[in-house]
Amino acid sequence: MEFKTIRVNNQIGCRSRQSSYGDSTWIAHGYACLKRNVLRLRSVLGPLLFLIYINDLDYGIKNWILKFADDTKLFGKIQGTSDVIKLQEDLDQLLQWAEEWQMLFNTEKCKVMHIGNCSIQRQYCMANQQLDVVNQEKDLGVTISSDLKVSLQCKQAYNKASRILGLINRTIEYRETTILLRLYKSLVRPHLEYCVPAWSPHYVKDRVLIEKIQRRFTRMIPSIRKLSYEDRLKELGLWSLEDRRVRADLIIEVYKIIHGISSVDPQTFFELSTHNRTRGHPLKLNKNRVHTELRQHFFTERVVNIWNKLENSHCIVIKLLQAAIGETL
């Protein structure tokens, strides 16, 4: 196999962001500038070579760091001045690595977000430039707020889906059920369910807002317009969006994590119960005690009761998967 190469001297613009987590400061960076001499054309190795190139970025970092493509998030729990100094040293370490390997950060796009009332509000710098502090930031398509509430993300998802649904309503004159269903499933609903286990709404106002889109869509079909919302869903073979979010939590996340289908370590999120019980399935999860409302509705907490109530995890999940495949196709 031949690979064609060409020598170039260009810059590839990337993004960089910063945020904060919990009673901690979460500083996320992306790569703002990339200078390379050799660029491989028509090769699938490009992304892989990039990941290999930045693989040692986290060497010497004392706090937690997450890397995804050209985005990197640095975060840590800040409880005192020593933690602030440690986080700043990690930033200096990242900057030193970037200068050594000629992948400079665009510090103007780097942001800091403080999350938690106990987090120490300190300023952080990169390349002698003070980083901006923000209350909200979009990370991989999901808007993260400093209060960890998802209302803003719900509004943005609603607005995107509403625009697409309005476009369909204005331009499609032939209201055949099959055609509208395909348009809704392929163009509208993905905006309401993108990465939804990470921002599943728990406030009634947010759940109602998201469900409005599907209510509007079902009323667009003339033959079932006068029926109730529940009856319209039955006629179309759809689930409510709230039920789909629960199903996504159980099938896409919990089942895959516990059974090793996902690459995520199950012990990172869950702890299997060691109690011997005669009822239910043998993969029950321990329920942690939480002290805040937000923590109660996090993914790792909200799914435990629903998962433990299943009669048999394998049989129930198989039935749900069959229903999901039947509705999606």
Side-chain angles (χ1 to χ4, degrees), residues 162-175 180 216 220:
S162 181
R163 288 194 294 267
I164 301 299
L165 188 62
L167 177 64
I168 295 174
N169 189 31
R170 293 190 302 270
T171 56
I172 304 299
E173 296 183 359
Y174 182 63
R175 302 298 178 89
L180 291 179
R216 282 176 52 193
M220 289 171 52

Side-chain angles (χ1 to χ4, degrees), residues 145-211:
S145 302
S146 58
D147 56 4
L148 293 182
K149 295 181 179 179
V150 299
S151 296
L152 182 59
Q153 170 64 23
C154 291
K155 292 179 181 178
Q156 293 178 351
Y158 171 83
N159 291 334
K160 291 179 182 178
S162 181
R163 288 194 294 267
I164 301 299
L165 188 62
L167 177 64
I168 295 174
N169 189 31
R170 293 190 302 270
T171 56
I172 304 299
E173 296 183 359
Y174 182 63
R175 302 298 178 89
E176 204 275 327
T177 303
T178 304
I179 295 176
L180 291 179
L181 270 176
R182 290 181 178 177
L183 290 174
Y184 170 73
K185 291 179 180 180
S186 60
L187 299 178
V188 180
R189 197 168 63 184
H191 291 292
L192 305 175
E193 296 183 339
Y194 170 73
C195 204
V196 72
W199 59 272
S200 182
H202 60 274
Y203 288 130
V204 175
K205 64 181 183 67
D206 295 331
R207 296 202 302 264
V208 171
L209 181 67
I210 295 297
E211 201 72 34

